[in-house]
Amino acid sequence: MDRDAAIRLLESTHSFPSDHLFRVIVRDQPGEVERILGSLAALAGVEAWDGRLDRAASRQGTYVSLRVSLPCASAERVLDVYAHLATLEGVVRYF
């Protein structure tokens, strides 16, 4: 799906500005989750994760699933966050 189509889809299913829920799967290695959360916090201007973060370890402890709620002013911002996630080492999957 191209960017314009993704923006139209997001705008048809969400109201902006609003918080958007991002799901991120990360390898469970020392400091990895904190590094990724720090990067997302800097990008979104979030100072505290109170009520914005849920995490769950995989059964075997290999991965951590993060559910992160970030403020997004527009559909373009949502896509920018996804593009940022694509550049982060240690992120296995995001949706």
Side-chain angles (χ1 to χ4, degrees), residues 24-29 32-33 35-36 62-64 66 85-94:
V24 185
I25 308 298
V26 179
R27 287 187 180 85
D28 191 12
Q29 297 177 351
E32 200 75 358
V33 169
R35 182 182 60 79
I36 290 166
T62 308
Y63 302 100
V64 176
L66 304 173
L85 286 168
T87 68
L88 296 178
E89 187 176 328
V91 170
V92 176
R93 177 165 244 163
Y94 53 88

Side-chain angles (χ1 to χ4, degrees), residues 29-81:
Q29 297 177 351
E32 200 75 358
V33 169
E34 291 75 16
R35 182 182 60 79
I36 290 166
L37 288 175
S39 180
L40 287 172
L43 178 72
V46 173
E47 293 183 20
W49 290 109
D50 298 341
R52 294 189 170 277
L53 171 67
D54 288 320
R55 65 170 83 194
S58 64
R59 278 183 243 151
Q60 297 175 342
T62 308
Y63 302 100
V64 176
S65 171
L66 304 173
R67 292 171 39 113
V68 182
S69 179
L70 296 176
C72 292
S74 65
E76 291 89 352
R77 186 62 170 166
V78 171
L79 296 182
D80 292 344
V81 173

